[in-house]
């Protein structure tokens, strides 16, 4: 296994640097469990020695109060360990969830659109949501219950045997019966959860299709067909979720039943023929009941741990699968531009999808400050050419050079920091008009106003009472197609990047406005402009 494979990030990579705290929490839980296991033994000593006639310290208040004091000290110390564990585990798991979502988001940013489509955008959204949350909960439960639940179970059984071999057998049998009920959950939960997550991916995909393609659905009058398809997938998810819920719901009642049967058996044996025939003392009987109750609580926690970990393992595998996707576009190392009059140079470039070439034998040279028009019918490959020049794709044949060097030699940040891309009507974010125009770059109000004037957008922007502070809905849904295009053009005018791509960016404008804006675009001095249009 090479070093690259070893360094490949996984869903648990964000835990690096947090491992001391990850294992500190179980250690504190171990101390809490030891404190908790000693309490029933001390209670049995108080009952048998200080409160039972014939005991070694019968009616000895000092002895009884001393043991009570120890019980209180153990309770306070255990409580302090518990609170510290809860605080540490909550803080670490919350930070882990944040870092994990950031890692997934960084991976999304590193992949091309083709790779995201291949993996499934709806599935990726589920990875950042439900899968990241399940993995975060798995880490939380690992820290809180990994040691506590098993140790308390085993400790209760051992302590029961130390108090009374017969009583220990009762506790052990009750535990084994409870364990049998959990085996069902262990066997079926991971498989069912994988199926449920797959169904969630399908539901998210259908929901996205309905949102993006709602005009087509209405136009072709296939609403009923779309509803039926969604209903079928949703019903399949409901059946699988109910099946998992039924399996999981058996655990608690069966666990309570077996543990309480153990308590009843202890009480029955204790009082069957009177105190003289008891196989253990009253104090031991009380301690055994306490241990049965403790083991019941621990077992319920253990089932929660298994359930959370099984979901976390499934989600971790899904996240790992996505993180292991290798970007088809490899980033170069060059971080500066050499002096060159030629900005772009393409020789024998070809590009295609699914085995069919969209572009073939493309040769072009674009120099600094040139204004180049690219015209063609829909589907002729105009946008593909721009995406090749901005390196959203690598050509399947030929070579593209940027400032006299192969375009693949440059860092993405350098290459894309030189290019301002303006599309037809996409690229809006929830926020104000100002935020969408500047994208965080400091700009004076005068510059914003001039850009809006050039894009013929000031006429409607300043009609709003709050002007450029007006709220933009998600994806700019509160603007018309023409308004969106003019705002995107204003963003391009504000950009200080030396290379500007206009990809059918004037298609929604009327002829008069289009002419005015086009003249403003080509009048920019010192800018290298590629202008794509069907007209």
């Amino acid at each position: 296994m090479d070093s690259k494979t070893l360094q490949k990030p996984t869903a648990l990579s964000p835990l690096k640097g947090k491992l001391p705290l990850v294992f500190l929490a179980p250690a504190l839980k171990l101390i809490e469990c030891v404190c908790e296991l000693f309490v029933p033994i001390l209670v049995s000593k108080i009952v048998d020695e200080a409160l039972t006639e014939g005991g070694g310290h019968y009616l000895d208040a000092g002895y009884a109060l001393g043991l009570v004091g120890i019980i209180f000290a153990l309770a306070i110390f255990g409580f302090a360990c518990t609170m510290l564990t809860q605080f540490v585990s909550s803080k670490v798991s919350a930070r882990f969830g944040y870092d994990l979502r950031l890692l997934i988001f960084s991976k999304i940013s590193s992949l091309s659109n083709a790779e995201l489509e291949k993996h499934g955008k709806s599935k990726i959204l589920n990875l950042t949501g439900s899968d990241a949350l399940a993995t975060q909960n798995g880490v939380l439960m690992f820290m809180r219950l990994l040691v506590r639940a098993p140790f308390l179970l085993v400790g209760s059984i051992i302590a029961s045997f130390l108090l009374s071999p017969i009583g220990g057998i009762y506790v052990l049998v009750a535990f084994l019966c409870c364990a049998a009920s959990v085996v069902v959950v262990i066997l079926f939960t991971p498989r069912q959860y994988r199926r449920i997550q797959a169904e969630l991916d399908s539901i998210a995909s259908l929901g996205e299709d309905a949102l993006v393609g709602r005009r087509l659905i209405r136009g072709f009058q296939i609403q009923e067909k779309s509803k039926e398809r969604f209903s079928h997938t949703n019903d399949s998810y409901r059946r699988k979720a109910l099946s998992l819920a039924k399996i999981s719901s058996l655990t608690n009642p069966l666990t309570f039943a077996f543990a309480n049967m153990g308590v009843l058996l202890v009480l029955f044996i204790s009082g069957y023929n009177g105190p003289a025939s008891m196989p253990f003392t009253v104090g031991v009987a009380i301690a055994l009941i306490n241990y049965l109750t403790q083991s019941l609580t621990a077992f319920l926690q253990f089932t929660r741990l298994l359930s959370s970990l099984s979901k976390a393992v499934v989600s971790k595998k899904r996240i790992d699968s996505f993180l292991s996707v290798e970007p088809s576009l490899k980033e170069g190392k060059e971080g500066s531009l050499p002096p060159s009059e030629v900005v772009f140079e393409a020789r024998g470039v070809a590009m295609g999808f699914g085995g069919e070439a969209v572009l073939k034998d493309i040769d072009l040279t674009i120099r600094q400050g040139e204004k180049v028009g690219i015209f063609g019918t829909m589907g002729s490959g105009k946008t593909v050419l721009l995406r090749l020049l901005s390196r959203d794709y690598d050509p399947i044949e030929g070579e593209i050079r940027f400032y006299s060097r192969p375009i693949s030699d440059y860092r993405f940040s350098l290459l894309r920091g030189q290019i301002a891309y303006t599309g037809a009507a996409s690229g809006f974010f929830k926020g104000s008009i100002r935020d969408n125009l500047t994208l965080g770059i400091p700009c004076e109000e005068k510059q914003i106003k001039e850009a809006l004037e050039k894009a013929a957008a000031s006429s409607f922007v300043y009609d709003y009472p709050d002007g450029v502070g007006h709220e933009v809905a998600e994806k700019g849904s509160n603007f018309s197609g023409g308004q969106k295009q003019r705002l995107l053009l204003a963003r391009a005018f504000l950009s200080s990047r030396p290379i500007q791509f206009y990809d059918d960016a004037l298609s929604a404008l009327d002829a008069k406005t289009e002419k005015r804006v086009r003249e403003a675009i080509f009048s920019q001095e010192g800018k290298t402009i590629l202008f794509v249009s069907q007209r």
Side-chain angles (χ1 to χ4, degrees), residues 24 29 41 43 103 131 140 220 246 324 339 407 431 436 496:
L24 172 64
K29 278 290 182 182
I41 296 175
V43 170
L103 178 63
D131 286 299
L140 179 67
F220 286 93
K246 288 176 182 177
S324 66
I407 196 170
N436 275 271
S496 60

Side-chain angles (χ1 to χ4, degrees), residues 348-351 357-363 397:
V349 168
M351 185 62 198
V358 178
L359 297 173
K360 286 192 283 190
D361 301 324
I362 300 296
D363 295 306
E397 292 180 13

